[in-house]
Amino acid sequence: MLTVESLAVRYGDMEVIHGASFDVGQGDSVAIIGANGAGKTTLLRTLMGLHRNFDGRITFLGKDIGHMSPWERATLGMAMVPEGRRVFPDLSVEQNLLIGAYSQRDRSTVRASIEEVYGLFPILRERRHQVGKTLSGGEQQMLAIGRALMARPRLLLVDEVSTGLMPIFVDKAFQVLRDLIERGVSVLLVEQNARKALATAARGYVLETGRIVLSGTADELAANADVRKAYLGA
Amino acid sequence: MFWQQLVNGVTMGGIYALVTLGLTMVYGVLRILHISHAGVFALGAYIGVVALRLSPNLVVVTLLAMLVCGLVGVLMQRWLYRPLLGSSRIVPLIASIGMFTLMEDLFRLAAGPYVLPLPVRVPFGLDEVTTSVVTGNQLVVLSSAVILLVLAWFVINHTRLGLAWKATEQDFETAAAFGVNVDRAVAMNFLLGSAIAGAAGVLVGFYYNSVYPTMGSVPAYKAMAIAVLGGLGNVWGTVIAALLIGIIEAFLVISPVGLFLPRDSIAFVALILVLLLRPYGLFGRR
């Protein structure tokens, strides 16, 4: 579904990702774990088309998407839960969700998606007329997840779903991701919380200062001595 | 006398609102002070003069002016502002002022430095419905302004496009990541704002029956002042600020203050006061 080959990403003259290659299959779930500053957010932004200074090949659904704008990628079926939530501060909860479904033309599908999101996060229904910036951090994260679900994506890119959430919401957020994966949506998540990420995804990669240093199934990684020491605190 | 002046003020206020609307819309999505918007306003009046040869009907003339001005607005966005988007904010501002000067000179070259009439014919004989309070011409301008403002309100608040504008304004990256074609959204923003400015040009040309190369000069800076008063980017603040300025001007000219304070200075006095006291605009939030 998504294939990334020798991806090198730069900010100006500084290269921050050095030739990363990985793939996400149809219905696959992949976690990229790494410490702060490893380049995880940059990686996702490049995949979405928000960062364009790169070399290498990005293929999505058999198409080379490297030259495509973010909205073209969205229309192909990519959606993201961005770093820092990026909820639209002066749009209402419902309008935020409607933007999530912007590439969905069919009104009844959009209506059904909204109901689904409200079913998942009842607090969003209560707050549906409130503007984004008045929500708490946890509520904003739910909205960011809900907004991405509205797109009915084929591939969901998730950047640090757990940051800033209270523990019960962290579990909830990962539960939502697991449900999505079970429904056959392909998910690529980048996470500092390696334990949760490896418990959610089927496969994983370890990104260290811009290089992929390890890959394997989630179980293999979770059992790997280096991973346990560096990321699982064991 | 009071009601007459009120109507005069509201009429001018309506025109100011139409001109300023595009300015504040553009500022909303691009954070650019689009001075040459006033050139588009004057262009609208000149297109009106040309369109008169096709049809004397106000509606036809206005629609033609809106069409041409809308397209010119899009071209400006494509060829003037888009190449400059990465540069510091002063660069597009200077380019915009340059473009405005160029347009004024082009009008002078093309049509001469004269005042041209714009004797359009008004449907339903609306301009004949003159009472002691409101003239027919004012009715024409007022009703046109209301129609255009309602149109803008509808597009902004009740269409996908309007939602896309708001999202782009608040976070264009995230909007783009969810499928909003940000390029096209910005182009449509220029299209609507410029079309409405073009209509305002026709209405002003008709109201004073005069079209001349520098007719955009005062609106250029007055609209800027009104946009700041309304809180740049705030559409409804802009409309209210425009009406306020129109009304204050109308009453000032008949008051003793009007003897030493020229009408066109009011907007700037208000601008200075607002910048001192409420720099985020009359209705803005901090």
Side-chain angles (χ1 to χ4, degrees):
Chain A
M1 166 160 274
L2 176 79
T3 313
V4 176
E5 293 160 87
S6 354
L7 183 73
V9 186
R10 287 175 303 272
Y11 278 104
D13 292 332
M14 193 177 69
E15 194 175 275
V16 292
I17 291 178
H18 320 287
S21 296
F22 59 93
D23 64 277
V24 182
Q26 175 75 49
D28 203 356
S29 53
V30 174
I32 296 183
I33 57 177
N36 228 340
K40 304 188 301 288
T41 294
T42 304
L43 186 66
L44 278 204
R45 287 174 52 81
T46 309
L47 295 181
M48 194 69 234
L50 296 174
H51 186 87
R52 312 200 68 110
N53 189 356
F54 72 95
D55 282 320
R57 209 176 140 79
I58 308 173
T59 319
F60 180 56
L61 299 171
K63 295 190 183 78
D64 183 346
I65 59 166
H67 60 282
M68 285 189 187
S69 60
W71 53 90
E72 286 170 311
R73 299 180 201 209
T75 313
L76 281 179
M78 268 192 192
M80 80 188 299
V81 180
E83 187 198 29
R85 309 175 187 106
R86 301 285 283 265
V87 160
F88 295 103
D90 291 313
L91 292 186
S92 70
V93 165
E94 194 141 315
Q95 286 175 318
N96 266 282
L97 293 178
L98 286 174
I99 287 288
Y102 198 78
S103 43
Q104 303 280 323
R105 288 273 167 179
D106 180 47
R107 283 192 164 202
S108 57
T109 315
V110 173
R111 212 53 246 177
S113 306
I114 288 195
E115 283 308 313
E116 208 172 300
V117 170
Y118 286 160
L120 220 45
F121 303 115
I123 188 80
L124 293 183
R125 188 198 299 276
E126 273 172 49
R127 304 241 188 277
R128 65 183 179 277
H129 298 302
Q130 262 176 256
V131 293
K133 66 184 171 198
T134 63
L135 302 185
S136 74
E139 289 162 354
Q140 288 188 7
Q141 186 64 282
M142 289 184 231
L143 181 53
I145 297 170
R147 183 177 59 184
L149 297 184
M150 291 295 296
R152 305 207 166 218
R154 306 182 64 170
L155 172 65
L156 180 62
L157 308 173
V158 186
D159 196 342
E160 300 285 356
V161 76
S162 60
T163 39
L165 287 186
M166 292 196 301
I168 51 160
F169 288 131
V170 173
D171 289 339
K172 171 93 183 172
F174 279 102
Q175 188 53 49
V176 169
L177 292 182
R178 272 193 288 270
D179 290 347
L180 271 184
I181 293 164
E182 254 166 52
R183 274 174 21 202
V185 177
S186 310
V187 174
L188 175 64
L189 54 145
V190 303
E191 262 297 338
Q192 280 190 74
N193 188 337
R195 191 185 306 276
K196 291 279 183 199
L198 292 177
T200 304
R203 296 191 302 122
Y205 295 87
V206 178
L207 187 69
E208 255 175 37
T209 55
R211 270 174 232 284
I212 289 183
V213 294
L214 257 182
S215 67
T217 66
D219 294 341
E220 282 165 12
L221 288 182
N224 181 290
D226 293 338
V227 173
R228 289 171 65 86
K229 204 159 103 197
Y231 301 105
L232 299 176
Chain B
M1 188 69 167
F2 173 84
W3 292 107
Q4 270 177 18
Q5 284 307 315
L6 188 66
V7 171
N8 287 342
V10 171
T11 308
M12 282 320 293
I15 287 170
Y16 294 158
L18 293 180
V19 179
T20 314
L21 193 64
L23 204 66
T24 208
M25 282 168 59
V26 166
Y27 186 84
V29 294
L30 282 190
R31 305 280 169 222
I32 280 176
L33 291 174
H34 177 32
I35 299 284
S36 47
H37 190 61
V40 176
F41 157 82
L43 175 67
Y46 275 102
I47 299 295
V49 172
V50 177
L52 266 182
R53 296 182 194 165
L54 295 174
S55 159
N57 185 314
L58 175 72
V59 176
V60 177
V61 168
T62 306
L63 288 178
L64 261 170
M66 289 178 77
L67 181 70
V68 174
C69 288
L71 292 177
V72 167
V74 173
L75 292 181
M76 278 190 190
Q77 183 250 329
R78 289 276 133 112
W79 294 343
L80 184 67
Y81 294 129
R82 198 158 64 180
L84 299 176
L85 265 189
S87 38
S88 91
R89 286 168 59 176
I90 195 87
V91 178
L93 173 63
I94 290 169
S96 191
I97 294 172
M99 181 54 137
F100 178 47
T101 311
L102 174 70
M103 288 177 85
E104 286 193 335
D105 284 332
L106 287 178
F107 297 143
R108 197 172 290 120
L109 281 173
Y114 323 108
V115 175
L116 305 175
L118 188 54
V120 287
R121 200 170 306 138
V122 176
F124 315 121
L126 195 59
D127 52 338
E128 308 292 322
V129 193
T130 296
T131 72
S132 60
V133 173
V134 56
T135 70
N137 285 359
Q138 285 176 329
L139 271 181
V140 172
V141 171
L142 277 173
S143 49
S144 311
V146 168
I147 291 170
L148 290 166
L149 289 173
V150 168
L151 171 80
W153 168 83
F154 181 81
V155 174
I156 291 169
N157 288 307
H158 291 281
T159 63
R160 267 165 67 83
L161 184 60
L163 187 62
W165 283 340
K166 286 180 201 147
T168 305
E169 194 174 314
Q170 291 170 32
D171 185 344
F172 73 93
E173 278 195 342
T174 307
F178 281 102
V180 176
N181 184 333
V182 174
D183 258 359
R184 196 167 56 200
V186 171
M188 293 300 286
N189 190 285
F190 271 83
L191 184 81
L192 182 68
S194 304
I196 290 178
V202 171
L203 291 173
V204 168
F206 156 79
Y207 190 54
Y208 293 114
N209 198 25
S210 63
V211 174
Y212 52 98
T214 56
M215 67 186 285
S217 295
V218 171
Y221 301 102
K222 203 182 275 185
M224 200 55 71
I226 291 169
V228 174
L229 288 182
L232 273 165
N234 177 344
V235 172
W236 304 116
T238 298
V239 172
I240 293 167
L243 288 172
L244 268 178
I245 293 295
I247 292 168
I248 294 173
E249 281 182 2
F251 282 101
L252 185 101
V253 290
I254 58 163
S255 79
V257 189
L259 292 176
F260 56 89
L261 194 63
R263 189 183 92 160
D264 290 335
S265 63
I266 299 303
F268 301 97
V269 172
L271 175 66
I272 291 164
L273 288 179
V274 163
L275 287 178
L276 285 174
L277 303 174
R278 289 180 65 90
Y280 35 86
L282 284 177
F283 316 101
R285 287 152 306 204
R286 266 160 229 266

